[in-house]
Amino acid sequence: MFDLLKDAFTKLKRELLGRGSLSEKEIKEFLRSLRVRLLEADTNYKAAKVFITSLEDKLNTTEIYSSLQPGKQALRVIYEELTLFLGGKAEKLGFTKTPTLILLLGLQGVGKTTMAAKLAKMYAGKHPLLVAADIKRPAAVEQLESLAKKAKADFFGPPKPTSRDIETCTAALKYAKKSNNELVIIDSAGRLHIDEEMVAELAEIKSKLSPAYTLLVLDGLVGQDALRQTQEFHAKVGLSGGILTKLDGDARGGAALSFRHVTGLPIYFIGVGERVEDLEIFHPDRIAARVLGEGDIVSVAEEVRQVVDEQSSAELAEKLMEDRLNFEDLLAQMKQLSKMGDLSKLMDKLPAGMTGGMSPEDFDPAEIKRTEAIILSMTPAERRNPDILSGSRKLRIAKGSGTSPSDVNQLIKQLEMMQGMVKGAGVDSRMMGAGKVRVRPKSKKKRKKKRRR
């Protein structure tokens, strides 16, 4: 996500931190380079100019030149200004009215239909209803109905094949009130470009239904054209905010930096994948940290907490300390991790210093599947007691999993290494169960001997 921006800021950050002192001339050179990088990342030129001007004012009014660590002081100012430029704080949807109505707008191909299902998945507790108000695009109704099943949401399609979009939406709202749907999400019709017919349809839906939120779905890969779309939709229909999609790909990130400046409206969500689960609330402070290469530990912790069973983690820690870890335990942990989806996305949120030199591309889903296949090819007794794995058993397991005996041996060694690493570190299992790790102190006896020496 935001790879071009992240690379640019990382290089400039190294330059700042590598200097023991900073002069006004060096700051101006830094800002000039930053402006070029922002434009390369498809940031609106007016937005880039405003950001650089504001940043320069903040840097000049902060005591960075006389600071002992001017580079770190400058980075703190950049982080704060970038956070402010992205919106300052996360904007969350409010559900003060029942049902709460969300109208999604956008051109064809931006991922609007998928986004409707993602929102339904995120707010599953609100008993959401997905409304197909796009009869012009072939199979749009069928696509939303299929996605509604994946998101476990209710679905409402056109009452008749010839129903107008406004008729579908009005009927859906009546249905939602009877069915106690607290959230109604309308997937409106899109076009290849903004035209008067589409604008008139959207304006009619908004006028008659008065949605709580009118959100524009923007393709994060489009760049400068996304801002033109934003301005037109906002002027002709009126928006509450935006959603950026496809940020898991080659998105440069300029649209995210420009949206708030151009519209004065918040970005509510970002799409980071194709699954209905791949949706995140837009947190300006966390995005700013990621762009600066500082990672997003808070989001990582939230994602892990959603899938990790604390009790089983505590039991695993205890087994590690007592040298009782087996392949059943390993398989259980792998299943928990698989619930998190693409691990490379999780890796992308970690600070550079925590990745051990690994990149998101180093996580190979095929390797995880291969490991699972080997473990599942073992008998329950073999999983619980790896010591009984003889040569003939390993050969049978390799044939059953479509691997080689050397692959089986490698997995056994990995299990042994896990045991050795924990025992060698002296980890307190009680603290691991609580999600923390500490090193056991040396005994008083050993410390006394050291003093005598």
Side-chain angles (χ1 to χ4, degrees), residues 111 114-115 117-118 143 147 150 246-248 271-279 342 345:
T114 306
M115 183 54 63
K118 288 180 178 182
Q143 182 190 3
L147 287 169
K150 289 183 181 179
K246 305 179 185 178
L247 292 185
D248 56 317
V272 292
E274 296 179 0
R275 305 180 310 154
V276 291
E277 297 88 357
D278 294 333
L279 182 67
D342 188 351
K345 290 176 186 172

Side-chain angles (χ1 to χ4, degrees), residues 135-136 141 157-165 167-168:
I135 60 171
K136 292 181 176 61
V141 176
K160 299 176 184 177
T162 56
S163 294
R164 293 177 62 231
D165 293 341
E167 293 171 344
T168 300

Side-chain angles (χ1 to χ4, degrees), residues 61 68 79 136 149 170 198 228 253 332 410 422 427 452:
T61 55
L68 291 174
Y79 165 75
K136 292 181 176 61
K149 290 176 183 176
T170 304
M198 177 179 64
R228 184 188 59 77
Q410 187 177 359
V422 174
V427 177
R452 288 195 194 105

